[in-house]
Amino acid sequence: MAEDIIRVRGNKTLAGEVKISGAKNSALKLLAAAILGQGPSVIHNVPLISDIKVMSEVLDCLGAHIERDGHTIRIDTSDVDKYEAPYELVSKMRASISVLGPLLGRFGRAHVAMPGGCQIGARKIDMHLKGLEALGVEFKVAHGYLQAVAADGLHGAEVMLDFPSVGATENLLMASVVAEGETIIENAAREPEIVDLANMLNAMGAQVTGAGTSSIRVEGVPLSSLHPCEHTTVGDRIEAGTFLVGGALTGGPLTVRGVNPSYLHMAIIKLRAMGCTVEAGDDWIRVERTGSLQPVDIQTLPHPGFPTDLQAQFMLLAALAQGTSVITENVFENRFMFASELMRMGADITIEEHHALVRGVDHLEGAPVTSTDLRAGAALVLAGIVADGETLVRRIRHIDRGYENYVGKLNSLGADAERMRIDMDDDEE
Ligand code: UD1
């Protein structure tokens, strides 16, 4: 079977400037939210990545008309007349569950295939369901599908989330904007992508306040008063953080442009603690390192804590630091699969439940490695850039899910990487 891989030649330095794309985790939800606008919305700065293709297919299945012109998507949801997200697509991308809230808002019902297992932990959806139940939705599971119906319409409620789940906050937000009365989401997720979604919903005529804080207040409006809008997706803080790690790893100076530095406050603190100089302006961040990398302790937490989506990249930095770092993963179970791939390149890491003890080594060696998820894949390519010799990264479809032109952007900064199609003997599926 043929498979695309990335071949990376090592001992290179990343320096220069790179333009960051729109945030994957925002654009996916903005597209879903367009269902509530019941007309032609225009969304700018949408990244060219495969997850957006999957979400476009989901919306197409529901009856939306989607046209893409570079980074702008025009999505007309006037003719959306179905409320079922099929298994073939939900199984490709778990974030398809984000259509649940807007479909309930538009039709009072939704059928969404159960997302199923995921490599980075159980990723349950109980908080989505509990919150929506408080708004008047009843659920049952039949034939692998979650069937949701708000028989008496959606009504506002006070919902306290057990954990500030990004996906649950978003689904609740998208359903509650058209619920009758007021909804208050307590212990809401505070990620910048939540603020972006609330801004788009408000541009459509919704009344959301408090997004970006733990307490979001939504004054429901009739569905008929929502309208399409034009909106620009925020920059991708995780893509930006990944390139900054590349600069920190090889020295830089490396500048990322197109992202609000406040979104990366904690990551910048950790880069400085590791011995980097970091400067920032309105929409840019520059990293440079002349001394050695210092060890650091990191624990992943919901925003504004350290993002779990940068955990693998910082583990790579820690692997080359002069000393021992402790990395604690609090958001997802089972998100240390990357460590064993990095150990194949010479890293010294011990995993104890949700802690990783990373003892710095003085160099990594190129090796054949496999992406275990999106962020791990991106980090393995960075590891190859700094390692001795050649690294072959497999299962790069994970990288394609969330990084636009990753190889091209890295090469423009000084990497020597290429995508290649090779024949695999084994069937690793
Ligand atoms: C989103 C992001 C993902 C990021 C994550 C945390 C998208 C498409 N993905 O994922 O990149 O890593 O936020 O910042 O935006 N949980 C439950 N029950 C629920 C919901 C969540 O137990 O009902 C648990 C999950 O299993 C996980 C944790 O809560 O352990 C965080 O999940 P959540 O914040 O919901 O992440 P996602 O929205 O899935």
Side-chain angles (χ1 to χ4, degrees):
M1 218 175 82
E3 184 198 330
D4 280 355
I5 64 161
I6 297 176
R7 178 167 73 188
V8 193
R9 293 196 180 84
N11 284 316
K12 296 288 182 291
T13 297
L14 297 176
E17 182 170 313
V18 64
K19 168 85 179 73
I20 296 307
S21 301
K24 166 180 93 75
N25 289 351
S26 220
L28 288 170
K29 325 304 166 60
L30 301 176
L31 285 169
I35 292 173
L36 291 164
Q38 312 153 86
S41 284
V42 176
I43 307 175
H44 302 290
N45 202 27
V46 179
L48 291 157
I49 53 174
S50 66
D51 268 10
I52 292 292
K53 275 195 201 136
V54 178
M55 184 55 94
S56 302
E57 285 173 46
V58 172
L59 292 161
D60 181 75
C61 257
L62 299 171
H65 305 293
I66 297 165
E67 286 167 30
R68 174 153 210 154
D69 180 10
H71 292 99
T72 294
I73 284 189
R74 185 179 184 276
I75 169 166
D76 188 345
T77 58
S78 325
D79 296 336
V80 167
D81 57 355
K82 295 187 198 65
Y83 50 82
E84 180 164 304
Y87 181 67
E88 305 82 78
L89 297 172
V90 179
S91 61
K92 273 195 208 165
M93 187 186 66
R94 214 183 159 280
S96 313
I97 190 81
S98 330
V99 296
L100 181 59
L103 285 176
L104 281 165
R106 176 113 176 226
F107 300 111
R109 55 177 63 235
H111 291 182
V112 180
M114 294 291 285
C118 173
Q119 287 197 321
I120 53 171
R123 296 191 88 159
K124 294 181 296 211
I125 53 165
D126 54 314
M127 285 185 254
H128 299 236
L129 307 192
K130 222 166 110 190
L132 290 166
E133 272 169 1
L135 301 187
V137 181
E138 283 173 30
F139 290 97
K140 67 176 187 187
V141 176
H143 307 289
Y145 278 75
L146 185 67
Q147 302 187 344
V149 57
D152 300 322
L154 294 166
H155 55 74
E158 187 168 337
V159 179
M160 170 70 91
L161 293 175
D162 289 346
F163 178 91
S165 153
V166 172
T169 303
E170 290 165 342
N171 260 329
L172 278 168
L173 200 50
M174 290 189 277
S176 63
V177 289
V178 292
E180 201 179 321
E182 186 182 71
T183 297
I184 298 174
I185 311 171
E186 294 288 5
N187 200 22
R190 291 181 278 168
E191 270 66 4
E193 294 77 23
I194 304 276
V195 179
D196 203 21
L197 175 62
N199 286 344
M200 171 154 158
L201 290 167
N202 285 340
M204 292 164 84
Q207 290 185 18
V208 181
T209 52
T213 75
S214 302
S215 180
I216 301 180
R217 190 176 288 263
V218 183
E219 192 60 54
V221 298
L223 176 66
S224 57
S225 70
L226 291 186
H227 49 77
C229 72
E230 188 164 348
H231 182 86
T232 300
T233 315
V234 293
D236 195 315
R237 64 196 163 99
I238 306 300
E239 186 197 10
T242 304
F243 281 104
L244 289 174
V245 165
L249 202 56
T250 66
L254 188 151
T255 304
V256 293
R257 197 170 282 282
V259 68
N260 182 335
S262 70
Y263 297 170
L264 280 158
H265 197 164
M266 187 59 88
I268 291 172
I269 288 174
K270 296 298 175 187
L271 285 171
R272 287 186 176 137
M274 296 186 87
C276 301
T277 305
V278 184
E279 289 175 82
D282 283 359
D283 75 335
W284 59 266
I285 309 167
R286 179 179 304 123
V287 67
E288 184 167 15
R289 181 176 62 81
T290 46
S292 56
L293 271 171
Q294 299 305 309
V296 74
D297 289 343
I298 287 177
Q299 50 172 320
T300 66
L301 284 170
H303 192 79
F306 189 90
T308 175
D309 288 348
L310 286 176
Q311 184 248 101
Q313 299 87 318
F314 274 74
M315 184 183 283
L316 166 61
L317 273 181
L320 288 163
Q322 286 196 338
T324 300
S325 304
V326 179
I327 299 184
T328 303
E329 174 58 57
N330 294 310
V331 178
F332 288 110
E333 329 158 17
N334 198 14
R335 207 180 188 180
F336 280 144
M337 295 161 303
F338 167 71
S340 47
E341 291 303 304
L342 201 56
M343 281 155 75
R344 302 188 59 255
M345 297 178 73
D348 182 353
I349 303 170
T350 308
I351 306 288
E352 288 268 349
E353 296 179 350
H354 67 302
H355 304 288
L357 194 69
V358 187
R359 294 178 203 85
V361 294
D362 63 7
H363 75 288
L364 294 174
E365 286 167 9
V369 287
T370 301
S371 305
T372 48
D373 72 34
L374 166 58
R375 308 302 169 185
L380 286 170
V381 175
L382 293 181
I385 291 170
V386 80
D388 292 341
E390 188 177 273
T391 295
L392 299 176
V393 184
R394 288 182 58 183
R395 279 201 227 170
I396 61 167
R397 60 175 183 274
H398 287 300
I399 300 175
D400 295 337
R401 284 186 43 213
Y403 287 87
E404 175 176 333
N405 186 22
Y406 192 45
V407 167
K409 288 186 183 185
L410 287 169
N411 285 346
S412 76
L413 294 166
D416 182 355
E418 63 185 321
R419 294 178 71 107
M420 313 165 46
R421 177 147 281 220
I422 55 163
D423 283 324
M424 312 300 301
D425 303 334
D426 57 325
D427 182 2
E428 34 108 23
E429 300 296 318

